Structures are given as structure tokens and as C-alpha cells.
Amino acid sequence: MLAQVSRFIVVGVTALIVHWLVVRLLVPLGLIPLIANVFGFVVAFNVSYFGHRRLTFKAEALNHSRTLPRFATVALASFAVNETLYALLLTFTSLRYDLALFIVLGVVAVLTYLFSRFWAFAV
């Protein structure tokens, strides 16, 4: 279990960095942070899905037709929480957009792990 959590952290941090960097690149180009966050999610989703499938949960023997829709459901639900928390932080705090996003991504990672472990990639 500890090894799996460690792998989840590595994959999750990698996806978090990708997500965060996409937002950091798009906001200075004129996109508002909440819209840039959508693009960050889409790019990081691929890093997250394939990383968790291969490394974290070692679920390569499971069919994509089963794991992809389940993980997409988990990811989309997590993103709904992400976008809601992000909007709240941007609206009601004076945090910079990038710091607020970093906080939100960390909080949502815990939810993603639990639902991925016990449902999306469950054997």
C-alpha cells in the first residue's frame, strides 16, 4: 500500500505540475484563470490516466473500455470540485491565481486517489 501511495504521489505531482504550468502559460496570454484551468485539466488528464494505469495501480491487464470511462468519471468529478474551490478562492481571497490553483490541486488529489484506488482501477 505504501508503495502504491508513493507511486500515486509521483504521478499526481507530475500531473499537477503539467496542469499548473499550462495555466501559468495561458493566463499571461490573456485567458482568465478559470478557463485556463480547463485547458490545464485536459492536458494533465492524459498524464494522470496513463501514469496511474501503468505505474500507480498496475492495471494494464484491465481493458481501457472499463478503466478509461471510470477514471474519466473520477477526473471530471474531481475537476468539478477543483473548479468550484478555485472559483471560491479567486473570488473570496486575495491569493494569486497560481497559488490558489496549487492549493486546490493538492486538496483534490486526495479525492482522486481514493476513487481511483477503490473504483476506477479496482480489480
Side-chain angles (χ1 to χ4, degrees), residues 41-89:
F41 165 78
V42 170
V43 174
F45 173 85
N46 292 293
V47 173
S48 188
Y49 174 71
F50 288 105
H52 290 315
R53 179 179 167 82
R54 290 186 180 155
L55 301 174
T56 305
F57 301 109
K58 299 186 185 285
E60 293 160 306
L62 299 177
N63 196 319
H64 280 289
S65 65
R66 176 181 170 205
T67 58
L68 183 58
R70 286 183 177 199
F71 186 76
T73 300
V74 169
L76 288 169
S78 294
F79 184 69
V81 172
N82 166 316
E83 192 77 343
T84 301
L85 291 176
Y86 193 36
L88 290 171
L89 286 177

Side-chain angles (χ1 to χ4, degrees), residues 20-46:
W20 189 78
L21 286 173
V22 169
V23 173
R24 289 279 300 159
L25 289 170
L26 293 177
V27 169
L29 296 176
L31 275 177
I32 63 170
L34 287 171
I35 300 299
N37 192 34
V38 173
F39 287 98
F41 165 78
V42 170
V43 174
F45 173 85
N46 292 293

Side-chain angles (χ1 to χ4, degrees), residues 3-13 52 56-57 109 112-113 116:
Q4 186 179 69
V5 170
S6 297
R7 291 189 303 268
F8 179 84
I9 290 169
V10 169
V11 171
V13 167
H52 290 315
T56 305
F57 301 109
T112 303
Y113 173 76
S116 295

